[in-house]
Amino acid sequence: MTTGTLPTPSSTPVSTAQARLEMLTLINRAVAGAERPPLPPYPVSAPQSQAEVLHQFEDRILDYKAALTRVPASGAAQAVAAALGAVRRVVVPSGLPAAWLEGGSAEVVRDGPALTHAELDSIEAVLTGCAVAVSETGTLILDHGPDQGRRALSLIPDLHVCVVREDQLVQTVPQALARVAASVREGRPLTWISGGSATSDIELVRVEGVHGPRRLHVVLVGD
């Protein structure tokens, strides 16, 4: 392998050819036993106030073309019923708080014992809680605790109504990861949801609902 004067890797945007040269340079240095250059510092966001975090979360959710309703705790059931609208049947995990279902008109189907995928596919909506939500990315993270149920619940019905308490909302992804670290150590899966399901994998044609619900409605519940 030829060695010699090698260009210094840059942190600024580069062309494909330059990027390829930097990658090969790093490989050459590694092979030659050269010390690896230090990584750039991980970007850290300036802390925001709780009001700013709430506003940012709402902005991100709406940017994904999902819906968001913000209510006090006393209005959670009414907001859930409105989010479900004309839905005839809604599936819920076995540990979902009963208070969230008061006053609704949809038939409630409990996932206990576990429904088959075909049975879930025949139900229009699912109602769950979440483990934590991230304002910077507008992401809901489910760790599939009792109020969230197994993964299939949040992947098959066409409408997902998710109740998020304001104390479950954090600003950054690292803060969210700290909240779910214990769940990961227990071996529980995580489902990250940023808006309704959509993909453009095939010829850049946008298709909704392939990998999960097409519609997402967040009910953000205050103290």
Side-chain angles (χ1 to χ4, degrees), residues 174-194:
Q175 291 171 336
L177 290 175
R179 292 276 189 103
V180 296
S183 300
V184 173
R185 284 193 288 270
E186 292 172 5
R188 288 156 58 178
L190 300 179
T191 301
W192 297 55
I193 301 168
S194 300

Side-chain angles (χ1 to χ4, degrees), residues 60-192:
R60 297 293 189 275
I61 291 293
L62 298 180
D63 193 47
Y64 286 129
K65 304 187 187 311
L68 184 143
T69 304
R70 187 178 175 191
V71 293
S74 59
Q78 185 177 4
V80 166
L84 291 172
V87 163
R88 292 168 298 177
R89 301 173 75 209
V90 56
V91 62
V92 301
S94 57
L96 191 87
W100 293 352
L101 295 165
E102 294 175 352
S105 60
E107 176 189 352
V108 176
V109 181
R110 294 274 179 184
D111 185 47
L115 303 171
T116 66
H117 290 176
E119 289 171 328
L120 287 175
D121 195 37
S122 70
I123 299 175
E124 300 157 89
V126 60
L127 171 64
T128 74
C130 81
V132 63
V134 187
S135 69
E136 283 189 342
T137 61
T139 302
L140 315 175
I141 303 176
L142 278 59
D143 66 358
H144 301 285
D147 64 343
Q148 300 149 54
R150 58 196 172 103
R151 292 196 76 197
L153 293 187
S154 57
L155 295 178
I156 296 180
D158 196 45
L159 167 65
H160 184 185
V161 178
C162 186
V163 177
V164 181
R165 301 192 316 269
E166 287 187 2
D167 63 4
Q168 292 177 309
L169 183 58
V170 298
Q171 180 184 341
T172 68
V173 169
Q175 291 171 336
L177 290 175
R179 292 276 189 103
V180 296
S183 300
V184 173
R185 284 193 288 270
E186 292 172 5
R188 288 156 58 178
L190 300 179
T191 301
W192 297 55

